[in-house]
């Protein structure tokens, strides 16, 4: 009897250990799969979406935003779409976001993954404050850069004159024409994609990228010295000090030492 | 005719409920119906009452998401409903995968796969609770609701409402798994959502009750039951089926020719 009890307990412990082992293996595979599946960066989310990391954990994949969109802009990622499954996104070359003034897709979101506040100014919904992405022009394939008049994207832009402007410069090749170059301004562009949708080239020469992908960042060490407001950023700048063989001595010593301290 | 109805009344009702829900969700997207919008993860009834999947919300919580009031309320409504009334009824009355796994289990019976020697069930029905815990751990590590990322249930519902993509493959895999690998494999062993509702459903009032005096020990009920272990008392003792793993599908009630099984309301005061 005694012996049997012992072996029962051992069996239980063994079973538990085996369970934990299998679970760990399963968890590893599961995590690896998720890591792979969520890695697709080039994804345009509906207006008002949280930062991608928070969006992924907050969106419950109900599709209410998709149902609310009158233009069928938004779609939920299906298996085989190679995008985080069940989450809403849009492909502007197919259907862009038409920037509805009442933004019906946002207030219906039950989870807060689409945040009303982020697309409101002074308490009112304002689609112009949306930041779905940023339009980027490929200068090589955009025919305006060849000297051909186009401005299709400019005309399509709901905030033309702010989000896209046309810059004129002389076409030296012909000597009598002007280049009419589309320039996108990240401060105003919402990433709606109407420009990408309208672009006349075979594959769009202006296309929308997620803002984190398309935009750089100057950092606090580069300041517009002529702009009082921008100069304030200097206060955030932290000193960075790198010490190399040369900078150990004073600069004058280094200059007078021939090449010795370099080698 | 009356006999046929008697033998299949709950099955027919369940299929009507399961399919109607899908049609209503589909209509919410395709025809702008306002009765039910969204999908099984979260929805709005009459554009007013929120409903959400409590297990999905639990995973989101583990992932560190801020849960909105709407989702909390929706999850609370669903939880209370199944906890107090329905038991694990989600599985047999709502979930579309149930139709797939029921079909597989029916096919096993018709093809007599169950009778082949050596097909003893090697797997534990507790796997689902392990998967449940694991899903929360993976959610916490990966920072997103882990099961929602692979759930064939949501995949199929979304597929019906928003377009299926390769989602049908999930249905085929589950069907073949249940047919060839493990009897009642997915719903009875693996699915963490079923496990979740088993835990919640433990306390509900609606229970199947066995009346031993009428039982002729034909064991038809155990053959059709997807969780036959919960019917351990059949032919032995008059008891209610108290295990949360019973899906309240009522197949056992309708196949019983001797009136030995029926629904009962669990008495509030335990004697
Ligand atoms: S703003 Fe309008 S067009 Fe754009 S995604 Fe929302 S509902 Fe659709
Ligand atoms: S409405 Fe919100 S929670 Fe639902 S799919 Fe859209 S973003 Fe996700
Ligand atoms: S995406 Fe294109 S059309 Fe839309 S606001 Fe930006 S520049 Fe204008
Ligand atoms: S066990 Fe899972 S798949 Fe099966 S019916 Fe229940 S929720 Fe659906
Ligand atoms: S005990 Fe009856 S109601 Fe419960 S799962 Fe089995 S067959 Fe269905």
């Amino acid at each position: 009897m005694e012996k049997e009890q012992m072996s029962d307990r051992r069996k239980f412990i063994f079973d538990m250990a085996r369970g934990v082992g299998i679970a760990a293996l399963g968890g590893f595979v599961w995590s690896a799969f998720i890591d792979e599946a969520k890695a697709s960066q080039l994804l345009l989310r509906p207006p008002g979406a949280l930062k991608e990391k928070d969006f992924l954990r907050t969106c419950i994949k109900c599709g209410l935003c998709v149902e609310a969109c009158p233009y069928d802009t938004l779609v939920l990622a299906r298996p085989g779409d190679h995008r985080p499954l069940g989450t809403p996104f849009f492909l502007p070359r197919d259907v862009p976001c038409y920037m509805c003034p009442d933004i019906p897709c946002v207030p219906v979101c039950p989870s807060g993954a689409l945040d009303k506040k982020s697309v409101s100014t002074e308490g009112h919904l304002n689609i112009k404050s949306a930041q779905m992405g940023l339009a980027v022009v490929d200068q090589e394939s955009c025919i305006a850069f060849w000297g051909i008049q186009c401005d299709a994207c400019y005309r399509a832009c709901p905030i033309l004159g702010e989000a896209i402007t046309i810059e004129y410069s002389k076409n030296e090749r012909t000597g009598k024409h002007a280049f009419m170059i589309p320039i996108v301004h990240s401060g105003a562009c919402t990433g709606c994609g109407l420009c990408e949708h309208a672009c006349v080239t075979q594959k769009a020469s202006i296309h929308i990228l997620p803002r984190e992908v398309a935009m750089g960042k100057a950092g606090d060490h580069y300041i517009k010295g002529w702009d009082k407001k921008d100069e304030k950023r200097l206060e955030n700048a932290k000193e960075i000090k790198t010490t190399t063989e040369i900078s150990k001595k004073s600069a004058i010593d280094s200059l007078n030492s021939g090449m010795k301290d370099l080698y | 005719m009356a006999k046929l109805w008697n033998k299949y009344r709950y099955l027919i009702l369940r299929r009507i409920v399961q399919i109607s829900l899908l049609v209503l969700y589909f209509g919410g997207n395709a025809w702008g119906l306002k009765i039910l919008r969204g999908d099984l993860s979260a929805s709005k009834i009459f554009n007013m009452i929120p409903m959400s999947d409590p297990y999905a919300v639990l995973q989101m919580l583990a992932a560190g998401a801020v849960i909105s009031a709407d989702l909390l309320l929706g999850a609370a409504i669903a939880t209370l409903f199944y906890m107090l009334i329905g038991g694990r009824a989600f599985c047999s009355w709502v979930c579309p995968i149930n139709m797939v796994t029921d079909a597989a289990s029916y096919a096993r019976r018709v093809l007599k796969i169950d009778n082949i020697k050596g097909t003893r069930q090697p797997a534990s029905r507790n796997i689902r609770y392990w998967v449940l815990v694991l899903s929360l751990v993976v959610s916490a590590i990966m920072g997103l609701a882990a099961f929602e990322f692979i759930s064939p249930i949501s995949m199929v519902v979304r597929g019906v409402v928003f377009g299926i993509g390769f989602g049908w493959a999930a249905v085929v895999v589950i069907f073949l798994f249940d047919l060839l690998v493990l009897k009642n494999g997915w719903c009875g062993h693996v699915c963490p959502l079923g496990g979740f509702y088993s835990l919640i459903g433990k306390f509900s009032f609606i229970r199947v009750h066995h009346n031993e005096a009428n039982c002729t020990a034909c064991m038809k009920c155990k053959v059709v039951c997807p969780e036959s272990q919960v019917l351990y008392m059949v032919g032995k003792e008059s008891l209610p089926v108290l295990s949360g793993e019973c899906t309240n599908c009522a197949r056992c009630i309708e196949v019983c020719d001797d009136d030995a099984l029926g629904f009962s309301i669990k008495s509030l005061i335990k004697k």
Side-chain angles (χ1 to χ4, degrees), chain B residues 14 88 92 207-208 221-222 224-231 241 243 245-253 255 261 263:
Chain B
R14 277 167 47 212
R88 197 187 157 190
S92 56
R207 292 282 145 195
V208 172
C221 51
K222 285 207 178 183
V224 292
C225 178
E227 301 278 352
S228 52
Q229 77 282 3
V230 307
L231 288 174
V241 173
S243 166
E245 285 163 7
C246 164
T247 66
N248 274 345
C249 71
R251 280 299 285 153
C252 54
I253 299 175
V255 297
L261 288 156
F263 273 130

Side-chain angles (χ1 to χ4, degrees), chain B residues 252-267:
Chain B
C252 54
I253 299 175
E254 32 186 32
V255 297
C256 181
D257 295 320
D258 308 296
D259 203 18
L261 288 156
F263 273 130
S264 72
I265 310 280
K266 186 163 68 177
S267 52

Side-chain angles (χ1 to χ4, degrees), chain B residues 135-190:
Chain B
S135 73
L136 297 179
V137 173
V138 175
S139 297
I141 295 172
M142 300 309 292
L144 49 76
F147 184 63
E148 297 316 297
F149 228 75
I150 56 171
S151 159
I153 307 148
S154 329
M155 217 182 277
V156 166
V157 180
R158 276 199 306 268
V160 170
V161 186
F162 302 106
I164 190 102
F166 280 117
W168 55 266
V171 173
V172 175
V173 168
I174 288 180
F175 182 81
L176 292 179
F177 179 65
D178 271 30
L179 182 69
L180 304 173
V181 183
L182 186 60
K183 184 183 175 193
N184 301 126
W186 174 259
C187 294
H189 293 76
V190 181

Side-chain angles (χ1 to χ4, degrees), chain A residues 128-254:
Chain A
K128 287 191 186 173
S129 62
Q131 299 200 319
M132 295 169 271
L134 177 62
V136 174
V137 182
D138 172 14
Q139 306 195 3
E140 305 305 324
S141 57
C142 169
I143 56 172
F145 283 82
W146 300 358
I148 298 174
Q149 187 188 346
C150 173
D151 80 2
C153 54
Y154 172 74
R155 295 288 159 201
C157 180
I159 10 186
L160 82 174
E162 292 172 53
I164 305 191
T165 53
I166 299 287
E167 309 263 314
Y168 298 86
S169 58
K170 190 175 173 196
N171 186 341
E172 300 289 354
R173 182 177 61 81
T174 66
K176 38 188 152 175
H177 299 90
F179 287 113
M180 295 168 68
I181 304 292
I183 307 283
V184 180
H185 303 275
S186 63
C189 173
T190 62
C192 70
L194 274 156
C195 51
E196 175 175 337
H197 187 62
C199 181
V200 300
T201 55
Q202 183 181 359
K203 181 174 171 238
S205 302
I206 182 166
H207 50 262
I208 316 303
L209 291 175
R211 292 178 77 89
E212 312 79 73
V213 177
M215 288 173 76
K217 191 178 177 197
D220 295 326
H221 292 91
Y222 296 96
I223 301 289
K224 298 172 187 159
W226 54 94
D227 181 345
K228 274 269 168 309
K229 227 171 87 207
D230 203 51
E231 215 168 357
K232 274 242 172 301
R233 287 193 302 126
L234 201 54
E235 288 164 16
N236 308 328
K238 287 194 194 76
E239 190 187 14
I240 305 172
K241 210 168 184 180
T242 31
T243 317
T244 63
E245 274 308 310
I246 304 174
S247 62
K248 271 182 192 156
K249 287 185 220 133
S250 85
I252 305 239
D253 288 349
S254 174

Side-chain angles (χ1 to χ4, degrees), chain B residues 42-70:
Chain B
S43 38
K44 274 266 161 72
I45 307 173
F46 297 116
N47 264 354
M48 243 168 54
I49 309 161
M51 273 289 229
S52 45
D53 172 357
Y55 174 48
V57 172
L58 195 66
Q59 291 168 69
M60 288 163 63
L61 215 62
V66 183
I67 311 291
S68 70
D70 247 26

Side-chain angles (χ1 to χ4, degrees), chain A residues 47 68-71 73-74 97-100 103-105 127:
Chain A
C69 176
Y71 299 100
T73 302
L74 305 174
C97 163
Y98 286 88
M99 289 182 58
C100 316
I103 327 181
C105 51
I127 187 65

